[in-house]
């Protein structure tokens, strides 16, 4: 019986056209408004309330995961440093930002809707950007603070070492401490103070696109950019904007009927 060997040129072509490795969904845990718990395995599946979702990849930095049971669609994007940003849309026009935890446990959710997000920004702007928060008798204490962006310990006050995720952490409008952690916390991010508000940012993206759209989510990317997901008549678009209001790009991520 004659053996047929794969010609060398064919073998080389097959090797050359092997699909390149693609960026995958990062590991994260998150909590969305309405009590929805979200978990993603790095490079694997995304779950809502323990249910496996249908995952769709649009590009290396944007994915959508749909849970048919709850009618929820998660928009998952990653910043330059790989940090995930998660938002959701649900039945009846519900939408909002999901809080991704830093230590592998779901954080407190932020209520959705453009009105709520704009109100949250107004509330944050009135909060202090530096606070001293102290846990006495091992009790948990929450201290009001503008927690948008990068919050760091600038002065350790307790003998007990303060470790994020263990005895201190962040919620939407406060920093919490427990287990004897006492420290001064400071918001180090300029983006938290200078980012354009929702209506202003949406107006700039609409002007650049030449169409009127509806804001789905707006999240910071690093310290210099804002990422807006906007619904236009022809589909969903991603608008990248600098914190000074200049629009860098408006690109489609899902066309109507696509």
């Amino acid at each position: 019986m004659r053996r047929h060997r794969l010609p060398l040129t064919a073998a080389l072509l097959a090797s050359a056209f092997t699909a390149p490795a693609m960026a995958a969904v990062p590991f994260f845990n998150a909590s969305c408004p309405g009590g929805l718990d979200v978990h993603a395995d790095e490079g694997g599946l995304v779950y809502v309330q323990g249910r496996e979702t249908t995952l769709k990849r649009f590009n290396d930095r944007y994915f959508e995961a749909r849970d048919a049971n709850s009618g929820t669609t998660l928009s998952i994007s990653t910043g330059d440093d790989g940090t995930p940003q998660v938002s959701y849309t649900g039945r009846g026009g519900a939408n909002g930002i999901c809080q991704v935890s830093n230590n592998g446990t779901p954080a407190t959710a932020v209520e959705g809707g453009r009105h709520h997000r704009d109100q949250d920004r107004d509330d944050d702007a009135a909060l202090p950007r530096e606070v001293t928060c102290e846990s006495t008798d091992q009790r948990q204490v929450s201290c009001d603070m503008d927690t948008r962006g990068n919050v760091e310990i600038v002065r350790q006050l307790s003998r007990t070492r303060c470790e994020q995720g263990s005895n201190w952490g962040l919620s939407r409008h406060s920093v919490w401490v427990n287990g004897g952690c006492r420290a001064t916390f400071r918001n180090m991010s300029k983006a938290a103070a200078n980012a354009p508000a929702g209506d202003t940012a949406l107006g700039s993206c609409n002007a650049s696109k030449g169409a009127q759209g509806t804001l789905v989510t707006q999240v910071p990317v690093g310290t210099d950019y804002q990422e807006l997901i906007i619904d236009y008549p022809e589909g969903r678009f991603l608008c990248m904007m600098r914190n000074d209001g200049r629009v860098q790009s408006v690109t489609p991520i899902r066309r109507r009927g696509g």
Side-chain angles (χ1 to χ4, degrees), residues 202-217:
L202 176 62
S204 298
C205 292
N206 284 345
S208 180
K209 176 74 170 58
Q212 293 299 308
T214 302
L215 182 64
V216 177
T217 61

Side-chain angles (χ1 to χ4, degrees), residues 4 20 34 42 53 68 85 87 114 132 135-136 141 178 186 192 205 211 238-239 247 252:
H4 298 279
E42 184 165 2
T53 64
Q85 306 284 350
S87 60
R114 187 172 69 183
T132 296
S135 167
T136 57
V141 177
N178 63 25
R186 181 181 299 162
C205 292
L238 186 150
C239 175
V247 174

